[in-house]
Amino acid sequence: MTNEWFKSAVFYQVFVRAFADSNGDGIGDLRGVMSKLDYIRDLGVDTIWLMPITPSPLRDHGYDVSGHFDVHPDYGTLQDFRDLVNAAHERGLRIVVELVPNHTSDQHPWFQASHDPNHPEHETYRDWYVWSDTDQKYKDARIIFIDYEKSNWQWDALRGQYYWHRFFYHQPDLNFDNPEVQKAMLRVAQFWVDQGADGIRVDAPPYLIEREGTSCENLPESHAYYKRLRAFLDAYSPGSMLLAEANQWAKDTLPYFGDGDEFHMNFHFPLMPRIFLALAQGNREPLDWILAQTPPIPANCQWATFLRNHDELTLEMVTPDERKFMWDFYAPDPEMRKNLGIRRRLAPLLENDRAKIQVAHSLLLTLIGSPVLYYGDEIGMGDNIKLDDRWGCRTPMQWDDSKNAGFSDAPADKVYLPVISDPVFSYQLVNVAAEQDAPDSLLNWVRGALNIRRQHPAFGRGELNVLPTTNPALFAYTRTTPQEKLLVINNLSAHSHKIALADYGIQRVRDLETGQDIEASVEFELPRYGYRWFQVVR
Ligand code: GLC
Ligand code: CA
């Protein structure tokens, strides 16, 4: 079981473009990330997920891949990547990279050859994408980027046919019915493992294969391919971890784990919005509901949980009523909405309310799975809804109060996106240096919480047992391994509540933050959005 490191891991998601600029061109790069590895280690995470670093025209921040076997020149070189991996490994940090199997950029040489009948390699690549004479096929497939696209088909004048795309029109879907495409993507995975990557986040896995009369999502043929990818990696590089980004209902995510022979991990998409719902309503009901829907997963698998990421806070996995509530509550300004979601960062979403931000983290770090933190959220960074698409949540990391927030030496107008400068979240106020020096900062709180989590493997591996209460504002559960039993109580409401362990049938606990012992009969108060983490004393 030594290979199951991901079960007790904490992930830190880094947008390389946004993190640190080492050469003063205004763009974050791999050497920049390398210069911040001590910061990342000291935060208390152990795995870095790097968003796409391969060549790309960057119309979808790198998820539009135009070359699979190199590093985008903005970010450095393959040697820089290997150096980063080595420097990370020296610090006990692991590196996860992206694989985008579903589609490429329309600038990718494969597509260039495929769509151009006069291209010298046209014959080879002709069937690498999903071509059709009509745009009437696969009508049951939904459109994902509803703010940008009207159809999943795009006319290609050169070829005189339509091509299929589930995302932007400039991201044609690869044809995974073609065995050559299947092989090519295995080679890409092999290549990045050879460069030293410890794991792979697989982008948008549900949409690999299309079949008439289906939603073209989660098809058995797609799962068969992922099993093949897994078997290949298990044989080639045992211990390499596969993480799926399958944004689906809980029951549809189960097949991504297979019988423990497909993905090691999958993001728990339906849980995420319900953390925000529960906090908005001061009520545990959405959490109880989704946990009841969450099937047990194979013993060698793990959920990945998160509060925010680089995309809009997706509301695809909620009911229409819940979506309306979430939009009204968290995105009152229509500019805050994007596709079926909300394009805001964690701190602004939670009104920069420290207690709310902490209790959200308490749920993230203790409920189930391995948590994934999004860069900047640990210091409470803000967003910029004036920026296009999802870019407002991808602004430069705020390191200090110097020029460009210490992110880059470039002239401000050369920085790839403006740093946050609004009155509440401005980099002069919200930055790593200031928070490092302030014992009570959010950054130091996050470090402390991660430090406690690290000492108690049951937070990652323990069995979850949700405890019933008469007070719906209180959400309590235990996490149990043969070695230890932990008790977590969260107050989801803006009011303080009195509690006693006896309410939960527990005799005696030790507070993990203070070390203080508490007996069953002692009443104590949980302040608004308060939380307590305990070890049950036997
Ligand atoms: C994934 C990525 C998102 C990207 C999309 C298309 O959902 O998280 O950022 O736009 O795939 O590649
Ligand atoms: Ca740079």
Side-chain angles (χ1 to χ4, degrees):
M1 296 298 106
T2 48
N3 282 344
E4 293 184 353
W5 55 269
F6 54 88
K7 282 195 177 175
S8 43
V10 179
F11 292 71
Y12 186 68
Q13 179 185 356
V14 171
F15 183 31
V16 175
R17 200 169 197 76
F19 207 56
D21 172 17
S22 72
N23 63 349
D25 64 356
I27 299 171
D29 43 55
L30 293 172
R31 298 237 150 240
V33 177
M34 212 157 108
S35 71
K36 300 296 185 185
L37 286 177
D38 288 344
Y39 169 78
I40 295 174
R41 180 203 50 207
D42 295 346
L43 181 60
V45 304
D46 38 54
T47 306
I48 302 172
W49 153 24
L50 295 179
M51 284 168 59
I53 54 170
T54 48
S56 162
L58 301 176
R59 298 177 74 184
D60 187 15
H61 272 171
Y63 290 98
D64 47 337
V65 175
S66 61
H68 283 105
F69 304 105
D70 207 346
V71 166
H72 193 294
D74 284 354
Y75 303 146
T77 63
L78 278 173
Q79 188 58 49
D80 291 339
F81 178 77
R82 289 187 293 260
D83 291 348
L84 171 64
V85 168
N86 288 334
H89 287 172
E90 277 166 21
R91 289 166 177 79
L93 296 165
R94 290 188 166 84
I95 301 276
V96 167
V97 296
E98 298 257 6
L99 180 74
V100 186
N102 182 65
H103 47 270
T104 68
S105 159
D106 60 4
Q107 302 305 305
H108 197 293
W110 298 342
F111 186 79
Q112 291 296 311
S114 189
H115 89 136
D116 180 358
N118 294 318
H119 191 285
E121 292 189 280
H122 180 65
E123 276 312 303
T124 311
Y125 291 100
R126 196 176 46 188
D127 296 327
W128 278 48
Y129 293 83
V130 182
W131 294 102
S132 163
D133 290 330
T134 98
D135 59 357
Q136 298 302 306
K137 285 164 78 178
Y138 311 140
K139 282 286 187 200
D140 298 328
R142 69 190 166 118
I143 292 168
I144 297 168
F145 285 167
I146 52 166
D147 284 355
Y148 298 99
E149 303 296 340
K150 296 209 155 33
S151 164
N152 287 324
W153 290 105
Q154 178 73 22
W155 176 250
D156 185 89
L158 214 50
R159 168 135 174 175
Q161 277 190 309
Y162 295 92
Y163 62 82
W164 180 250
H165 62 91
R166 289 309 297 273
F167 293 93
F168 289 121
Y169 72 88
H170 53 77
Q171 287 167 318
D173 274 38
L174 283 159
N175 172 20
F176 270 85
D177 282 322
N178 183 336
E180 292 304 318
V181 171
Q182 294 210 5
K183 263 192 272 172
M185 213 42 78
L186 296 184
R187 255 180 250 124
V188 176
Q190 179 181 37
F191 178 83
W192 287 98
V193 164
D194 284 344
Q195 305 306 308
D198 301 288
I200 297 175
R201 171 198 184 258
V202 176
D203 184 71
Y207 320 105
L208 213 55
I209 302 257
E210 301 74 33
R211 290 290 178 264
E212 201 55 71
T214 73
S215 67
C216 297
E217 300 187 14
N218 314 319
L219 297 186
E221 294 88 338
S222 300
H223 286 294
Y225 182 70
Y226 294 123
K227 287 201 165 70
R228 182 175 172 199
L229 173 64
R230 169 66 178 272
F232 168 74
L233 280 182
D234 278 355
Y236 185 72
S237 165
S240 289
M241 188 274 301
L242 282 174
L243 162 62
E245 186 222 9
N247 183 357
Q248 299 289 325
W249 288 98
K251 69 169 172 36
D252 294 324
T253 59
L254 190 57
Y256 287 88
F257 297 112
D259 297 318
D261 58 355
E262 202 170 314
F263 287 93
H264 300 84
M265 300 185 74
N266 187 16
F267 286 101
H268 200 319
F269 273 94
L271 172 63
M272 179 276 298
R274 288 176 179 81
I275 294 178
F276 292 94
L277 266 177
L279 289 175
Q281 300 174 340
N283 192 313
R284 57 183 286 171
E285 199 273 332
L287 293 169
D288 283 325
W289 186 84
I290 192 58
L291 290 169
Q293 308 292 310
T294 300
I297 59 177
N300 58 345
C301 294
Q302 176 73 310
W303 292 108
T305 55
F306 62 106
L307 296 170
R308 288 296 297 114
N309 61 22
H310 64 296
D311 287 326
E312 69 275 29
L313 188 168
T314 167
L315 299 174
E316 285 160 290
M317 297 305 137
V318 297
T319 64
D321 285 348
E322 289 169 330
R323 188 176 307 135
K324 182 172 183 324
F325 176 89
M326 285 285 286
W327 265 333
D328 290 345
F329 191 90
Y330 285 113
D333 179 344
E335 266 202 296
M336 296 169 173
R337 305 175 189 184
K338 182 56 56 183
N339 301 317
L340 283 185
I342 301 173
R343 51 188 203 124
R344 302 184 73 192
R345 260 194 187 264
L346 184 65
L349 272 170
L350 299 181
E351 298 166 302
N352 211 16
D353 181 328
R354 180 66 181 275
K356 262 196 195 180
I357 295 173
Q358 289 181 181
V359 77
H361 276 95
S362 169
L363 292 162
L364 175 72
L365 299 183
T366 66
L367 194 47
I368 47 169
S370 293
V372 184
L373 310 182
Y374 185 49
Y375 87 91
D377 282 348
E378 76 276 20
I379 56 170
M381 252 173 74
D383 53 39
N384 180 353
I385 56 168
K386 296 295 166 207
L387 298 175
D388 197 25
D389 195 1
R390 293 151 288 170
W391 302 358
C393 301
R394 303 179 184 180
T395 60
M397 179 68 176
Q398 296 167 196
W399 294 104
D400 56 42
D401 63 2
S402 71
K403 185 180 86 172
N404 304 323
F407 160 76
S408 171
D409 290 338
D413 63 351
K414 284 265 178 342
V415 175
Y416 76 98
L417 284 179
V419 294
I420 300 294
S421 59
D422 68 59
V424 179
F425 295 102
S426 137
Y427 69 93
Q428 281 104 337
L429 302 169
V430 178
N431 65 63
V432 170
E435 295 197 30
Q436 248 156 357
D437 294 343
D440 292 337
S441 65
L442 177 61
L443 175 61
N444 281 320
W445 178 86
V446 171
R447 283 180 177 165
L450 289 176
N451 185 32
I452 294 172
R453 191 183 193 277
R454 213 169 29 245
Q455 294 163 37
H456 299 278
F459 282 130
R461 296 169 186 256
E463 191 190 320
L464 172 74
N465 187 13
V466 177
L467 305 177
T469 32
T470 46
N471 182 346
L474 297 176
F475 186 53
Y477 41 89
T478 55
R479 301 290 311 271
T480 311
T481 59
Q483 289 75 35
E484 64 178 344
K485 182 170 184 171
L486 307 171
L487 167 70
V488 176
I489 311 178
N490 302 288
N491 178 358
L492 305 171
S493 80
H495 309 281
S496 67
H497 295 277
K498 285 218 159 47
I499 38 179
L501 294 175
D503 304 345
Y504 299 104
I506 287 173
Q507 284 314 309
R508 190 191 172 94
V509 295
R510 178 159 304 156
D511 186 298
L512 294 180
E513 249 173 331
T514 63
Q516 178 201 7
D517 281 2
I518 302 181
E519 306 282 341
S521 58
V522 177
E523 256 204 356
F524 58 96
E525 192 162 287
L526 211 51
R528 64 185 286 280
Y529 303 115
Y531 70 93
R532 298 286 286 268
W533 298 358
F534 301 111
Q535 185 169 41
V536 177
V537 180
R538 293 183 224 221

